Amino acid sequence: MPTYKNLLLWMVLAVLLMLEIGLGTAGITVAQVFEALTHPQSAPIAHSTIIWDSRIPRTMAAALAGASLAWSGMLMQTMFRNPLAGPSMLGISSGASLGVALLVLSGGTFIMSSELGYMSIAVAAIIGAFAALALVLLVAERISDQPTLLIFGIMLSFFTSALVDALQSQATNESLRSYVNWGLGSFADCDHRENALMAAGLIMSLLLTRAILPRLNLLLLGEQYAGTMGIDITQTRRLMMVITGILAGITTAFCGPVSFIGLAVPHVSRRLIASADHRRNLLPTLLLGAILALFCDLISRLSALPLNTIASALGAPFVILLMLRWSRFKSMI
Amino acid sequence: MEKHTLNIAKVAAGYSRKPIFEGIEMSVLSGQLTSIQGRNGSGKSTLLRAIAGLTPLLHGSISIDGRSISEMSAVERSTHIGAVWTDRTRIQGITVRELVSMGTYNGAWVKTGLSKDQHIEHTLALLQLTALAEKSTAEISDGQLQQAMIARALAQCAHFLVLDEPTTFLDYIAKEELMRSLKLLARKTQIGIIFSSHDLDIIQAFADATYELSEGKLTRLNTI
């Protein structure tokens, strides 16, 4: 990738990071933000708390979640050779949703108020995401046809949605609100510990990605070619699903099911660098994911609208454009 | 140059445990063009997929120089057999050079004694693709894309090449040119080429050995 485009992305990311930390509804001036950042001990405690315990964790969560979702989207699109594949496919997000719904809607609300309760949502989401992933892996061993596997993932999403709907119809108002809040997606509730876990998941996924990076380009030709070029298809598929599961599962657990970033960013990255080469797309995809998530979160904060509302409002026109130019995009993956 | 033999013995393959063909016996020598003809649905593509190790056998064995391909790892198999399928895989965002370099994934290029870049250059030159190396695969003609896909398979340094209806999307001039370059390639590099085709003129003009697959049985027609 040309250095200037790389540099440009880093610069945009830096500006958005500053805006995310600097802007807000609390009426803190730029000078006060700077003071809270550089001298947290001497700055007014309210300012330090807002900056260090609210805005910085939220900013870090947005950047980490955006990067994670974007790379998992890239892997999904390569694996299925389908430009509309994303982390929400394969039932991973819906598995996470079902996990949370089972916990929150079936009477688990009493633990919601405690700190342990909040972590239990994340655990439920991760268990749900990996249960869905395990099911898909099991089916993938029997179905070698990628479109069929994709349809299976979509059907799994429908099925889990039906279960969630059933749970919702029986739930109390309070638990329903908790679930709906999680479902709207937000980076606001992430603290430093959760960010550390998301960072650990991202680093682990990138290390696993390193092991399969040279194989990913070969998969662009499809499995029947990759299979004759020295790639163990079953093992590669398994690894790709595990990486996607870690990235999408952990992110969904802490931030809720955040839509569109995983679908949209890989396309923007490939267009930006005019190449489908995964080695060249890795860094721009991660940076663009972080940029898009920060941008959506910034608008969400300033407009007081939920994150997924903003992401969908931006994402839906993008997907329509994608459909209209389907053939052109299809040939890019 | 080293001689290699691909041997197919009593092979049956198909889907859902139902054989499309059985009792297939065939021997392919390196440096030769072997054709398989047959009607649509006769199982030519399945047989080629079985030879490439993608379709599991229901019975029998396929071996190269006495070693069964089912015992080989994916990497080892790719150093024996390369393949070009009949679908028009055309991806944007990669150049002809990048496409050909994909073939070096198995690492077999080290046995050529050339550097990886030299090996890619050499392979591009073998199929007259040097001038197109930096072009996107989306910008070249069907015939050139077919050549590039073959070059990618050659970059694997395999002893045998499986081509599923290689002339399907080509006009009559491009067909002849491709087959002529394949024949030259087989003689020059001693690679064994197995291709399927409907085109009897092409088969008659270029194949060294001809087989017909019909009603689940393979018959040897002639040796030229």
Side-chain angles (χ1 to χ4, degrees):
Chain A
M1 176 179 184
T3 321
Y4 76 93
K5 284 186 183 170
N6 218 339
L7 198 67
L8 188 74
L9 288 180
W10 279 112
M11 279 163 59
V12 174
L13 180 67
V15 169
L16 279 166
L17 285 171
M18 284 191 281
L19 287 174
E20 266 276 272
I21 294 170
L23 290 180
T25 48
I28 308 174
T29 64
V30 174
Q32 286 166 330
V33 169
F34 191 72
E35 189 195 3
L37 280 173
T38 51
H39 302 95
Q41 311 299 339
S42 57
I45 194 147
H47 293 174
S48 294
T49 308
I50 286 172
I51 300 297
W52 285 100
D53 294 344
S54 170
R55 288 191 193 168
I56 288 179
R58 183 176 183 149
T59 305
M60 297 314 295
L64 287 166
S68 299
L69 290 170
W71 188 244
S72 73
M74 177 67 95
L75 292 181
M76 289 278 102
Q77 288 172 11
T78 300
M79 183 155 59
F80 293 106
R81 297 181 73 206
N82 188 322
L84 290 179
S88 55
M89 298 291 168
L90 280 187
I92 294 170
S93 298
S94 12
S97 301
L98 182 62
V100 174
L102 280 170
L103 176 81
V104 178
L105 301 175
S106 60
T109 16
F110 65 96
I111 47 170
M112 288 291 298
S113 49
S114 64
E115 192 188 352
L116 183 74
Y118 183 69
M119 279 307 279
S120 68
I121 286 193
V123 172
I126 290 174
I127 291 172
F130 275 88
L133 184 71
L135 194 62
V136 173
L137 275 169
L138 205 69
V139 173
E141 303 286 306
R142 288 158 211 281
I143 300 175
S144 56
D145 179 41
Q146 294 301 338
T148 313
L149 190 59
L150 194 63
I151 292 167
F152 173 78
I154 295 167
M155 289 305 120
L156 186 63
S157 300
F158 277 118
F159 185 71
T160 51
S161 299
L163 290 178
V164 171
D165 288 346
L167 286 166
Q168 279 183 320
S169 69
Q170 304 295 321
T172 61
N173 282 346
E174 194 188 344
S175 58
L176 199 57
R177 195 175 308 117
S178 305
Y179 178 74
V180 169
N181 278 340
W182 176 82
L184 288 172
S186 171
F187 302 127
D189 299 321
C190 295
D191 61 22
H192 292 299
R193 268 177 313 172
E194 286 153 8
N195 285 343
L197 278 173
M198 273 203 281
L202 182 59
I203 290 167
M204 195 159 73
S205 301
L206 292 177
L207 288 174
L208 286 172
T209 295
R210 223 180 113 117
I212 57 165
L213 201 55
R215 304 181 209 173
L216 294 178
N217 286 352
L218 273 58
L219 284 170
L220 291 172
L221 295 177
E223 289 188 356
Q224 70 165 354
Y225 274 107
T228 63
M229 293 164 79
I231 288 188
D232 182 336
I233 296 291
T234 313
Q235 186 217 40
T236 308
R237 256 216 262 185
R238 262 186 222 156
L239 262 171
M240 286 173 87
M241 285 193 196
V242 167
I243 297 171
T244 311
I246 293 172
L247 290 172
I250 295 179
T251 309
T252 310
F254 294 135
C255 309
V258 180
S259 54
F260 286 113
I261 292 175
L263 168 68
V265 169
H267 295 293
V268 181
S269 175
R270 282 188 288 259
R271 301 307 292 181
L272 183 74
I273 64 166
S275 171
D277 187 336
H278 289 82
R279 282 164 291 200
R280 290 161 66 194
N281 268 293
L282 177 58
L283 183 62
T285 303
L286 294 173
L287 290 173
L288 280 163
I291 286 170
L292 188 61
L294 284 166
F295 181 69
C296 288
D297 191 51
L298 194 65
I299 298 179
S300 158
R301 276 174 52 198
L302 298 176
S303 65
L305 286 168
L307 177 68
N308 269 342
T309 309
I310 301 297
S312 301
L314 288 172
F318 181 84
V319 173
I320 292 168
L321 191 74
L322 198 69
M323 299 289 279
L324 292 173
R325 303 178 74 176
W326 170 273
S327 57
R328 209 173 148 197
F329 277 97
K330 193 177 179 187
S331 51
M332 192 82 171
I333 62 161
Chain B
M1 258 185 245
E2 269 181 279
K3 287 273 184 189
H4 300 277
T5 312
L6 186 148
N7 209 47
I8 302 177
K10 294 177 184 148
V11 159
Y15 300 97
S16 310
R17 308 207 61 78
K18 268 192 188 163
I20 295 176
F21 47 75
E22 45 197 342
I24 302 289
E25 301 275 347
M26 187 180 181
S27 198
V28 182
L29 296 174
S30 54
Q32 293 205 339
L33 252 73
T34 302
S35 70
I36 301 170
Q37 65 190 60
R39 299 189 62 180
N40 283 340
S42 60
K44 299 188 297 290
S45 297
T46 309
L47 178 56
L48 293 182
R49 285 177 58 83
I51 295 171
L54 297 182
T55 300
L57 303 183
L58 299 174
H59 188 77
S61 74
I62 297 174
S63 57
I64 292 173
D65 300 335
R67 186 160 153 69
S68 167
I69 61 162
S70 61
E71 289 167 11
M72 297 177 187
S73 69
V75 170
E76 188 188 351
R77 208 173 52 233
S78 74
T79 63
H80 290 286
I81 307 166
V84 179
W85 306 110
T86 194
D87 64 336
R88 302 172 100 173
T89 302
R90 189 182 279 274
I91 47 170
Q92 268 187 7
I94 61 163
T95 62
V96 170
R97 183 189 301 280
E98 284 170 336
L99 178 68
V100 174
S101 73
M102 286 181 181
T104 61
Y105 172 78
N106 65 12
W109 55 271
V110 291
K111 67 185 178 191
T112 62
L114 301 171
S115 73
K116 194 169 166 180
D117 286 343
Q118 284 172 334
H119 172 60
I120 294 166
E121 263 337 303
H122 176 71
T123 312
L124 284 164
L126 264 179
L127 284 149
Q128 290 96 43
L129 291 166
T130 309
L132 302 172
E134 306 312 324
K135 281 209 175 238
S136 161
T137 54
E139 293 170 16
I140 57 177
S141 72
D142 285 342
Q144 289 165 337
L145 182 65
Q146 192 69 304
Q147 298 267 56
M149 290 301 278
I150 291 168
R152 173 206 52 84
L154 281 181
Q156 289 175 219
C157 297
H159 307 127
F160 293 93
L161 190 57
V162 164
L163 305 173
D164 192 6
E165 303 194 11
T167 55
T168 298
F169 299 111
L170 308 183
D171 61 42
Y172 69 99
I173 295 175
K175 268 182 199 178
E176 292 236 352
E177 279 175 359
L178 178 72
M179 293 312 297
R180 203 168 294 124
S181 71
L182 285 176
K183 184 112 183 179
L184 201 67
L185 200 71
R187 299 286 188 264
K188 211 164 153 184
T189 63
Q190 281 302 302
I191 194 167
I193 297 175
I194 309 147
F195 70 101
S196 64
S197 182
H198 292 292
D199 197 327
L200 299 182
D201 291 341
I202 287 286
I203 289 174
Q204 222 161 24
F206 295 100
D208 297 310
T210 315
Y211 288 82
E212 183 173 31
L213 189 57
S214 174
E215 293 173 4
K217 302 283 173 210
L218 190 74
T219 321
R220 182 154 187 171
L221 297 181
N222 72 321
T223 311
I224 296 161

